[in-house]
Amino acid sequence: MPSSVIEITVNGSEEEFIAKPGTTLLGALRDTLGLTAAKRGCGVGTCGTCTCHVDGEAVMSCLVPVETINGATVRTLEGTTPADGLSPLQQAFLDNFATQCGFCTPGMIMAAEALLAVNPAPTREDVVTAISGNVCRCTGYESIIEAILIAAEATS
Amino acid sequence: MAKLRGRGYAAVNYPTGMNLGGDPTQALVHSTTTGNFVVSLSSVDLGQGLKTVAAQVAAETLGLPYENIIVDTADTDTGPHCMGTFASRGTHRVGNAVIMAAQEAREAMLAAAAEELEVDAEDLETDGTGFIKLKGSEEVKIHVVDLAMAAHFKLGRTIAGRGIFLKERSYPDPETGKMDPDSAQAHACTVADVEVDDETGVIEVLALHNVYEVGRAINPRMAKQQIEGGAWMGISHALYEATDPYYPQRDHGPRDFEEYLMPGPADNAKMESDIIEFPAANGPYGAKGIGEMTANAPIPAIANAVFDACGVRLIEMPFTPESVLRGLDELRASA
Ligand code: FES
Ligand code: FES
């Protein structure tokens, strides 16, 4: 199979590059575009740390062959970070000690961003559901759930 | 068929550090031209918060703001030696080494300031906001940024310090067996509240109440986060995780996160965690290690709570529904 030319918009900037067949969105982001916030925890859709938005929806980017989303708009954690300072979710994670090793954090924040975009005043249960595909090995989740609820309150 | 509630508790004493061929860690502290102080370490921060704690300890000892500290743990080839971050030793060993290095750097800083201000170093103090000042005077003072510039470009002085903490190897007394294998012991107790479904065998941890005596919590919020993250791991070990559920058979052994069971965000127990502080004489500002012990007490506490709830004594982790149901069957058979 030949390589394909991919055109996607990533964090507002139009990108054009050549991808071998089977290249995942995660691989393209990290290896071709140098956007390394999304992490590869498992590569098979079971940990959530690669979570990004494709056309506004949270997806596990390790499961998305990049040639299948030609023309799409992609957002990564880098794209949620303001030029100056931190986003409300990032600030809430920091203030609430919601990270330890931080490996899950990019995926947690992107899952939470997707939730708050459609549901700015979520219940605790909504938050739990939104991050239920994201594994955290360190925190015990509680501080993350709280940080997302605090960020929602601060922005709504 | 019923849901049975029970409560159990367990306590743990846990040693800080280890006793192999001696247990050392070193730290180096030096000022940059801009008055920031670099703490060089080979100790690794993998999320436990060591860099934060090292910076806090350095700032406190130097008498400078926390923002002036840069912790560099970049390279174990070129950094000062550390045995490693394990055995709950990081805060204790690294903290002590950083205090020693920062004390020497502070002396060098005050000596440079004394030369620049033309006063005696003994008459100087730090005000915690970045100034080195003459005691009792508001006028005679110099900011650490200006002092660092002067030290580098005018005085030709280094502002630096070296530190090491070594826990020497302890041999047992041949007569009594008495020895001093660790530097301090932290203590904890966890009370677990559980509910056991006697039809399905499923155990639910409703709440964990944790109390930790850690000497001194240098960063109380991070200590609490470590307690609760560790307690989560304890629940996970107690009820979920197994690499070989039917060891030595490999049957049903998990291969990825999908098959390796861990509690998710919907399975959280209510947690309440308190810290008690009895400063350890040899700890940095009194601190003891807390890292590894946080996963320990929840497991026997949960086992005891299950016994309290339904009379089944579980001694092998994880406490699966299958093991609960087999235990209940045995109780019924022997009743
Ligand atoms: S790397 Fe994509 S889900 Fe784990
Ligand atoms: S903070 Fe380490 S995995 Fe979540």
Side-chain angles (χ1 to χ4, degrees):
Chain A
M1 260 167 47
S3 294
S4 28
V5 177
I6 309 293
E7 285 175 55
I8 51 177
T9 305
V10 182
N11 301 329
S13 115
E14 283 171 25
E15 305 287 351
E16 184 180 335
F17 55 91
I18 292 171
K20 287 193 178 137
T23 301
T24 62
L25 172 59
L26 178 63
L29 289 171
R30 292 183 58 85
D31 303 333
T32 309
L33 302 175
L35 296 169
T36 54
K39 304 278 182 281
R40 186 178 191 273
C42 65
V44 294
T46 61
C47 77
T49 193
C50 64
T51 303
C52 297
H53 299 176
V54 174
D55 293 332
E57 278 209 45
V59 300
M60 290 177 180
S61 62
C62 70
L63 293 183
V64 178
V66 73
E67 67 246 48
T68 65
I69 59 156
N70 220 336
T73 298
V74 176
R75 195 158 173 249
T76 70
L77 181 69
E78 285 95 338
T80 75
T81 313
D84 228 4
L86 299 173
S87 72
L89 269 165
Q90 290 168 337
Q91 191 64 46
F93 269 61
L94 184 65
D95 293 344
N96 207 50
F97 290 72
T99 67
Q100 285 191 39
C101 78
F103 200 81
C104 69
T105 312
M108 290 288 183
I109 291 182
M110 292 314 285
E113 286 277 359
L115 168 71
L116 298 189
V118 296
N119 180 0
T123 62
R124 192 194 145 86
E125 225 178 294
D126 296 336
V127 171
V128 165
T129 307
I131 62 167
S132 59
N134 296 66
V135 173
C136 176
R137 192 60 179 156
C138 306
T139 61
Y141 296 102
E142 199 54 41
S143 57
I144 294 174
I145 297 167
E146 276 166 24
I148 296 170
L149 287 169
I150 288 168
E153 215 157 277
T155 48
S156 68
Chain B
M1 298 298 147
K3 289 197 171 186
L4 308 166
R5 291 208 170 186
R7 169 171 280 190
Y9 68 88
V12 55
N13 300 334
Y14 208 84
T16 298
M18 53 148 208
N19 181 49
L20 295 174
D23 187 11
T25 285
Q26 297 193 26
L28 295 172
V29 172
H30 81 274
S31 157
T32 65
T33 50
T34 57
N36 285 325
F37 281 72
V38 181
V39 178
S40 301
L41 300 167
S42 292
S43 321
V44 175
D45 191 338
L46 31 78
Q48 76 276 44
L50 182 70
K51 286 169 107 170
T52 306
V53 161
Q56 283 182 263
V57 167
E60 182 76 20
T61 310
L62 286 162
L64 294 173
Y66 174 84
E67 290 69 29
N68 281 54
I69 312 297
I70 300 164
V71 178
D72 178 6
T73 58
D75 192 337
T76 53
D77 267 351
T78 55
H81 171 260
C82 175
M83 287 296 282
T85 38
F86 58 89
S88 308
R89 64 189 293 290
T91 295
H92 188 276
R93 302 295 192 262
V94 175
N96 277 322
V98 168
I99 287 176
M100 184 175 167
Q103 272 166 349
E104 195 173 285
R106 179 185 165 88
E107 275 169 35
M109 176 173 77
L110 296 185
E115 186 177 341
E116 188 64 7
L117 296 171
E118 297 180 4
V119 295
D120 259 0
E122 289 91 83
D123 298 332
L124 291 172
E125 63 183 7
T126 44
D127 72 350
T129 75
F131 283 99
I132 297 102
K133 59 184 279 287
L134 188 63
K135 288 176 195 161
S137 157
E138 285 313 314
E139 285 84 56
V140 185
K141 63 180 182 182
I142 184 166
H143 196 267
V144 67
V145 173
D146 301 319
L147 177 63
M149 292 295 265
H152 279 85
F153 298 108
K154 183 171 143 202
L155 307 174
R157 279 173 172 276
T158 57
I159 301 180
R162 304 150 299 165
I164 181 167
F165 184 85
L166 170 62
K167 168 72 179 81
E168 280 174 33
R169 181 167 182 180
S170 165
Y171 292 92
D173 181 300
E175 299 290 307
T176 61
K178 194 179 162 199
M179 67 185 300
D180 174 24
D182 49 60
S183 309
Q185 294 213 351
H187 312 278
C189 181
T190 291
V191 177
D193 292 322
V194 306
E195 192 169 79
V196 180
D197 186 323
D198 70 356
E199 188 172 6
T200 62
V202 170
I203 301 166
E204 191 185 345
V205 179
L206 303 172
L208 291 182
H209 315 269
N210 308 299
V211 182
Y212 278 74
E213 192 285 292
V214 300
R216 170 77 68 91
I218 290 181
N219 189 312
R221 275 300 299 269
M222 288 199 324
K224 180 168 180 261
Q225 177 56 62
Q226 205 160 69
I227 290 168
E228 303 205 333
W232 175 89
M233 290 178 208
I235 295 175
S236 195
H237 285 306
L239 301 186
Y240 296 84
E241 292 181 38
T243 51
D244 297 272
Y246 295 96
Y247 184 81
Q249 259 82 47
R250 273 296 291 146
D251 300 354
H252 303 287
R255 288 161 302 185
D256 58 33
F257 288 130
E258 201 115 274
E259 297 175 349
Y260 189 74
L261 290 186
M262 292 181 279
D267 305 313
N268 276 7
K270 257 203 177 60
M271 281 210 216
E272 165 185 38
S273 308
D274 282 323
I275 293 171
I276 303 173
E277 298 175 306
F278 292 109
N282 63 16
Y285 298 106
K288 307 175 190 175
I290 184 183
E292 285 177 351
M293 68 189 298
T294 53
N296 291 11
I299 301 167
I302 290 167
N304 288 337
V306 170
F307 179 72
D308 184 46
C310 67
V312 173
R313 199 19 109 200
L314 296 168
I315 54 169
E316 245 176 74
M317 301 184 294
F319 314 141
T320 58
E322 180 182 341
S323 62
V324 172
L325 291 179
R326 285 188 194 282
L328 286 170
D329 280 350
E330 260 170 54
L331 284 179
R332 282 187 204 108
S334 63

